[in-house]
Amino acid sequence: MAQVPQTFFDALAVRTWCGLALETLGRAREEIDAINVYPVADGDTGTNLYLTVESAVAAVEAVFDGHAAGSGPDGPTLADAARAMAHGALIGARGNSGTILAQLLRGMAQVLAADDPAHADGHGLRLALRQAADSARRAVAHPVEGTVLTVASAAADAADGAQGDCGTVARAAYDGARAALAATPGQLPVLERAGVVDAGGRGLVAVLGALVETFTGERARGVVGSACTGPAAGPHARVDPAAGPVQVDGVLDDCADSAAAVPGREGPAFEVIYLLEAEDRAVERLRERLDALGDSLVVVGGDGLWNVHVHVDDAGAAVEAGIEAGRPHRIRITHFGAGDVHTTGAERPPRERAQRAVVAVVPGEGLAGLYTEAGATTVLARPGEPPASGELVQAVRRAHAREVVLLPNDAELRHTAAAAAEQVRTEGIRVALIPTRSAVQGIAALAVHEPDRRFDEDVVSMTSAAGATRYAEVTVAERQSWTMAGICQAGDVLGLIDGDVAVIGSDVAETAETVLDRMLSAGGEMVTLVLGDDVPGAVAEHLEGRVREGYLAVDTVVYRGGRQGALLLIGVE
């Protein structure tokens, strides 16, 4: 974490703000989840905001790491950091509030990165906050007052009237946001009935509190009114929006109970979120189509990449609309379901925890389906978009088990998975991390998984099966580079065995055959082939024939992995 306070809004200030915002949301996550009743009382707004900012932090840190690894003495510019922040939030946005927050950060980045200034002063911050509020409001199909949009506009209005440096402007925006947040129950009946302020607005106040700390070095404090304002709130039920989740006279428990008691609202059954690569004109048509299908429509982004969020009854139609507009990916569909968010707390029976579950990171939709059929809870990892630790934590919670086996299926995700495991252990969940380095090792581990035996025995068996599986992948080189097999050129077909380049070729089938022969030279009983979308089935037929003719008593199984990054994954066990 960079030191505070920062004098100007430069790249270091962006980094500091993102880090402080993540810390603040981490402390406030449970409180914000507890007061989440609008637009759907699904109790995940705090978590969604945290995951959105976590993705922004990862993107900003990647920019700083990239400059540190270079030969130049200068670090990233304000434009570099601001664009990375906005892009990271966009691709990692979760839920309605997270998607809106991503657009708020994008609006700020549009001002901060304009004309590539070395830094921004108080005037620049005022302009950025105004652009943020206005662009977020435009991104929502039907803006509703008493929500995060109202809080954002109030912050921008207050900043407009502030004269001075970034610290002065940030504090004015924070104070304006706090006042607006306290007034939200009077603007939105569902909040007033529940006795809470808007959860998304509460999260934005936390983010603005981090902005104050960035420029003043002081943690922003102050009473919002009540985070819980209705009958559940005691006379001292006051919550500091910048401080972490605090429990004063039982305020958090009371808020959670009050929120759960809100009468169920009739509404769409599914939340659909996806990233979309599409042109502006196609997105305008998409907005119209999705608006007719459901509600809570938010479309944010630009420059060819968008994040789409909508609540619908026909999830398939929402995805099909995205396919017609461009290329949707990282598709997430959540079924609210009967007896869940559209019912009252009294009608919602507590779900019994399973004894054991498997949580796995998978690189493509096809493998996600395979793992799900085998009973695993999956986290989809798109090429170049690895999941953050918070996403793995959320998946473990979603598995709702006393014991969890975690399969990262990627050597580079081992530390991320370890951090997630450490966090959920503090929640009383027993977690074992099996260091699988490829999805084919995860398949081998899952094949021997037996939830009825002792946890330690099951983990040992799964670890042994994964360790006994050699893994390889066939991919295409993006640029010229040195490898263990020599120099490759952009467009060459590469065969990697256990993570190292072993074969450089020009044909997918021939390269894959060479890789397979090398792996089977050390023996094997089972070959697993996972084909990406760009690989014809003839390649699998060719490799199956090679195994059948050249290696007696070796079985082959073939799966379609979808858009998994690598052309082909190979496992030999």
Side-chain angles (χ1 to χ4, degrees):
M1 177 66 62
Q3 291 185 345
V4 292
Q6 300 293 321
T7 305
F8 295 103
F9 214 146
D10 56 8
L12 190 58
V14 172
R15 185 187 200 183
T16 302
W17 178 35
C18 289
L20 289 172
L22 186 65
E23 289 181 5
T24 305
L25 286 170
R27 295 191 299 266
R29 179 184 60 77
E30 292 182 1
E31 175 204 330
I32 297 172
D33 283 345
I35 64 172
N36 172 204
V37 298
Y38 182 85
V40 174
D42 45 0
D44 63 359
T45 290
T47 299
N48 287 337
L49 289 170
Y50 179 87
L51 292 174
T52 301
V53 174
E54 185 179 48
S55 183
V57 168
V60 172
E61 289 300 322
V63 167
F64 273 86
D65 290 345
H67 278 266
S71 57
D74 297 330
T77 65
L78 171 59
D80 292 334
R83 291 189 184 111
M85 172 186 70
H87 180 74
L90 178 68
I91 65 174
R94 302 290 192 277
N96 186 283
S97 294
T99 306
I100 293 173
L101 178 60
Q103 186 66 8
L104 287 166
L105 296 180
R106 176 179 169 81
M108 292 189 70
Q110 287 174 332
V111 173
L112 297 175
D115 302 322
D116 202 13
H119 62 258
D121 56 12
H123 174 69
L125 180 55
R126 287 197 300 272
L127 295 177
L129 290 168
R130 171 53 60 195
Q131 175 66 11
D134 292 348
S135 63
R137 190 170 286 271
R138 289 193 296 268
V140 177
H142 302 286
V144 175
E145 297 306 324
T147 65
V148 62
L149 297 176
T150 304
V151 176
S153 294
D157 291 343
D160 285 342
Q163 299 297 324
D165 59 12
C166 288
T168 302
V169 174
R171 191 176 294 280
Y174 172 73
D175 289 341
R178 284 197 302 133
L181 178 64
T184 55
Q187 297 171 292
L188 207 53
V190 66
L191 300 179
E192 187 173 23
R193 289 196 300 269
V196 297
V197 295
D198 178 66
R202 168 67 178 85
L204 179 57
V205 167
V207 172
L208 291 173
L211 188 64
V212 173
E213 186 174 355
T214 298
F215 293 115
T216 68
E218 301 173 2
R219 180 174 295 179
R221 294 186 178 275
V223 174
V224 176
S226 294
C228 192
T229 61
H236 303 293
R238 299 283 183 171
V239 177
D240 173 359
V246 293
Q247 186 166 340
V248 183
D249 297 341
V251 60
L252 293 190
D253 290 339
D254 287 343
C255 278
D257 292 342
S258 178
V262 177
R265 76 184 264 279
E266 294 299 325
F270 297 95
E271 177 185 59
V272 179
I273 304 174
Y274 50 81
L275 289 179
L276 177 69
E277 296 175 12
E279 297 179 354
D280 291 5
R281 283 181 293 182
V283 171
E284 287 304 315
R285 294 192 297 271
L286 174 66
R287 289 179 195 269
E288 295 177 1
R289 183 167 177 183
L290 292 180
D291 194 25
L293 285 175
D295 60 27
S296 297
L297 174 61
V298 186
V299 181
V300 305
D303 302 321
L305 182 63
W306 308 81
N307 191 306
V308 178
H309 170 281
V310 67
H311 294 173
V312 293
D313 282 319
D314 190 343
V319 175
E320 288 173 3
I323 294 173
E324 290 182 7
R327 188 179 81 85
H329 53 103
R330 293 193 72 169
I331 301 168
R332 300 181 186 87
I333 299 175
T334 301
H335 182 209
F336 295 139
D340 189 12
V341 298
H342 296 305
T343 62
T344 68
E347 295 169 343
R348 188 186 308 159
R351 184 160 64 100
E352 182 67 24
R353 281 189 180 274
Q355 181 59 35
R356 189 173 309 157
V358 176
V359 173
V361 179
V362 290
E365 295 88 346
L367 281 179
L370 173 68
Y371 273 73
T372 301
E373 288 176 8
T377 298
T378 61
V379 178
L380 188 62
R382 299 299 306 159
E385 301 170 2
S389 63
E391 192 168 355
L392 299 186
V393 169
Q394 192 177 42
V396 171
R397 291 172 179 152
R398 193 167 68 245
H400 203 62
R402 298 181 182 89
E403 303 168 338
V404 172
V405 179
L406 185 56
L407 306 175
N409 291 340
D410 186 335
E412 295 184 359
L413 284 179
R414 183 172 181 177
H415 294 300
T416 300
E422 192 64 31
Q423 180 173 342
V424 295
R425 286 187 185 112
T426 65
E427 301 174 12
I429 302 172
R430 191 180 184 186
V431 182
L433 171 61
I434 297 179
T436 49
R437 295 177 289 175
S438 170
V440 292
Q441 288 189 322
I443 291 173
L446 200 55
V448 300
H449 168 55
E450 292 185 15
D452 293 332
R453 63 184 165 194
R454 289 179 57 244
F455 184 64
D456 292 340
E457 293 177 356
D458 197 28
V459 171
V460 169
S461 178
M462 294 176 72
T463 302
S464 177
T469 302
R470 299 192 69 194
Y471 66 96
E473 68 177 67
V474 177
T475 188
V476 176
E478 296 181 355
R479 64 184 68 86
Q480 182 188 63
S481 60
W482 290 87
T483 75
M484 296 287 289
I487 301 175
C488 72
Q489 305 295 327
D492 283 347
V493 180
L494 305 180
L496 291 80
I497 300 177
D498 293 338
D500 294 323
V501 176
V503 180
I504 300 174
S506 58
D507 180 79
V508 174
E510 292 178 0
T511 302
E513 181 179 336
T514 302
V515 168
L516 192 54
D517 284 340
R518 292 194 184 185
M519 297 177 75
L520 287 172
S521 65
E525 300 176 354
M526 169 72 76
V527 172
T528 300
L529 304 175
V530 184
L531 278 67
D533 275 350
D534 297 329
V535 179
V539 172
E541 295 174 4
H542 173 77
L543 296 177
E544 284 184 285
R546 173 60 182 159
V547 173
R548 189 167 50 249
E549 295 171 5
Y551 303 93
L552 298 178
V554 177
D555 295 324
T556 305
V557 61
V558 180
Y559 302 109
R560 276 286 179 184
R563 295 187 294 272
Q564 61 186 21
L567 297 173
L568 177 68
L569 301 177
I570 303 174
V572 173
E573 52 185 300

